Amino acid sequence: MGVPAPALPAPRAELRRPSEADWQAVLDAIGRAASVDLLAHVLPDGDALGSALAFGLALRQRGVEVRVSFGDDPQVVPASLSFLPGQELIVPCAQVPERPELMISFDVADARRLGLLQAKAESARELVVVDHHTSNAGFGTLRLIDPLAPATAVLVDELLRRLGVPLDEQIATCLYAGVASDTGSFRYAATTAATHEFASRLLAAGVRHDAISRRLWDTQSFGYLKVLAAALERAELEPQAAGGRGLVWTWVPWADLLAHGVPPEQIEGLIDTVRKAAEAEVALVLKEDPDGTLRGSSRASGAVDVAAACAALGGGGHAYAAGFTSHQGVPATVAAFRAAIDAQPAPISD
């Protein structure tokens, strides 16, 4: 007998799946716009940037003036995503209008995740939020937020269907990077039969899934290996944390990145190595920025809602993958996170 999958936590009560009226309102806004600005979140991952570029390529096909951007300085596309088509659409933050006609954000759960572009987004005549995070704060003037979608790329695919834009190899490649990234290569609990059907349609459009997988997960610099080795040496296992389910955590000082020439975006996947510890339900990686700020990434296997824990620390995300920012230093931050996961109620399955 197979092991039953953990039940997905229910979405927040104030979140609902998009209605037909929601879809139509967004389609109408796109139809009115002569130019559209598309935003991914800071330190973009495959779902954020893949979704933005896929939609940008589709709008360009329709003759719409389109810009893609994200609010980092410096603005650097992660090496693992350098294969994504459509990067000629990416512009620096300064080239985004002060008051855009129509702006659409992708995979952004909180306006603060827009970084340097937050003020411009909040000044837009129309701001559409396309997202799937249960922790979404509900910003924007129009919203397509589906907390049951495994990736924002799935919502973009539906938008393209409603716009009548067919999948070509370039658009499908961007969408595949999105859904593969946010499902952990289709391993996470949010993956459903419909997710695999979506992936099948993308493969039929010409996606080279093997090449994409190599770039997303199996290609790193030697410097990254040195940073990873040091992070694993620092790793701590706390079996009694998370109600006895276990916590494994580590941190990466800025000095390590500087010493080995590793950009911050390159270590975003480090959490997926740390979370492999069989003795821990919850994993945490703290990454230090030059100013000492700590960015926390957490993962859970199903018995702890890390989105709720991270929300208690001012962050958010998904039940099984969430993050937060801290200015308290490593010991105090780990203590606060430990207290947040210890405060989680025991799951029904326990």
Side-chain angles (χ1 to χ4, degrees), residues 87-152:
Q87 293 190 45
E88 66 276 8
L89 299 175
I90 299 176
V91 302
C93 295
Q95 291 186 25
V96 175
E98 290 299 323
R99 193 182 183 207
E101 177 184 2
L102 173 62
M103 182 171 277
I104 306 177
S105 69
F106 296 90
D107 203 44
V108 181
D110 188 300
R112 292 172 295 182
R113 292 281 286 155
L114 294 171
L116 297 176
L117 290 169
Q118 179 180 352
K120 291 183 177 182
E122 292 173 342
S123 298
R125 291 180 177 87
E126 199 87 78
L127 174 59
V128 178
V129 175
V130 182
D131 187 32
H132 69 129
H133 290 87
T134 58
S135 62
N136 192 288
F139 65 102
T141 57
L142 296 173
R143 304 177 190 92
L144 294 176
I145 303 172
D146 187 349
L148 298 183
T152 298

Side-chain angles (χ1 to χ4, degrees), residues 229-250:
L232 294 180
E233 183 63 29
R234 289 188 199 96
E236 299 284 345
L237 177 66
E238 302 185 11
Q240 299 310 310
R245 302 179 192 92
L247 165 68
V248 58
W249 67 271
T250 189

Side-chain angles (χ1 to χ4, degrees), residues 274-297:
V274 176
R275 72 190 297 264
K276 292 180 180 179
E279 299 88 347
E281 157 69 21
V282 180
L284 172 68
V285 172
L286 299 176
K287 297 154 287 187
E288 186 181 43
D289 286 339
D291 63 357
T293 298
L294 295 173
R295 291 180 294 109
S297 295

Side-chain angles (χ1 to χ4, degrees), residues 16-216:
R16 56 174 175 78
R17 307 192 78 178
S19 67
E20 285 300 317
D22 294 328
W23 287 106
Q24 191 58 52
V26 172
L27 293 176
D28 291 343
I30 294 169
R32 292 190 299 266
S35 69
V36 183
D37 289 272
L38 310 176
L39 301 187
H41 56 65
V42 293
L43 293 174
D45 58 10
D47 195 25
L49 190 58
S51 294
L53 289 174
F55 204 62
L57 289 166
L59 290 181
R60 186 171 67 178
Q61 285 185 18
R62 293 169 56 91
V64 177
E65 179 187 357
V66 61
R67 289 171 293 265
V68 176
S69 194
F70 52 95
D72 286 316
D73 183 21
Q75 189 187 68
V76 179
V77 173
S80 62
L81 301 178
S82 62
F83 68 91
L84 288 177
Q87 293 190 45
E88 66 276 8
L89 299 175
I90 299 176
V91 302
C93 295
Q95 291 186 25
V96 175
E98 290 299 323
R99 193 182 183 207
E101 177 184 2
L102 173 62
M103 182 171 277
I104 306 177
S105 69
F106 296 90
D107 203 44
V108 181
D110 188 300
R112 292 172 295 182
R113 292 281 286 155
L114 294 171
L116 297 176
L117 290 169
Q118 179 180 352
K120 291 183 177 182
E122 292 173 342
S123 298
R125 291 180 177 87
E126 199 87 78
L127 174 59
V128 178
V129 175
V130 182
D131 187 32
H132 69 129
H133 290 87
T134 58
S135 62
N136 192 288
F139 65 102
T141 57
L142 296 173
R143 304 177 190 92
L144 294 176
I145 303 172
D146 187 349
L148 298 183
T152 298
V154 172
L155 298 173
V156 174
D157 176 63
E158 179 62 15
L159 261 180
L160 297 183
R161 185 188 71 79
R162 290 170 180 260
L163 284 169
V165 179
L167 292 176
D168 61 20
E169 183 178 352
Q170 288 195 328
I171 293 174
T173 295
C174 292
L175 293 178
Y176 189 89
V179 71
S181 294
D182 260 30
T183 60
S185 193
F186 308 97
R187 292 175 296 140
Y188 298 161
T191 304
T192 65
T195 313
H196 286 290
E197 290 170 359
F198 174 41
S200 176
R201 288 194 290 108
L202 299 177
L203 296 183
V207 165
R208 286 284 311 279
H209 63 94
D210 54 337
I212 292 175
S213 295
R214 280 196 300 273
R215 294 297 296 272
L216 289 178

Side-chain angles (χ1 to χ4, degrees), residues 312-338:
L313 278 66
H318 306 291
Y320 303 141
F324 62 91
T325 300
S326 172
H327 303 280
Q328 299 184 58
V330 174
T333 299
V334 173
F337 181 77
R338 184 190 304 115

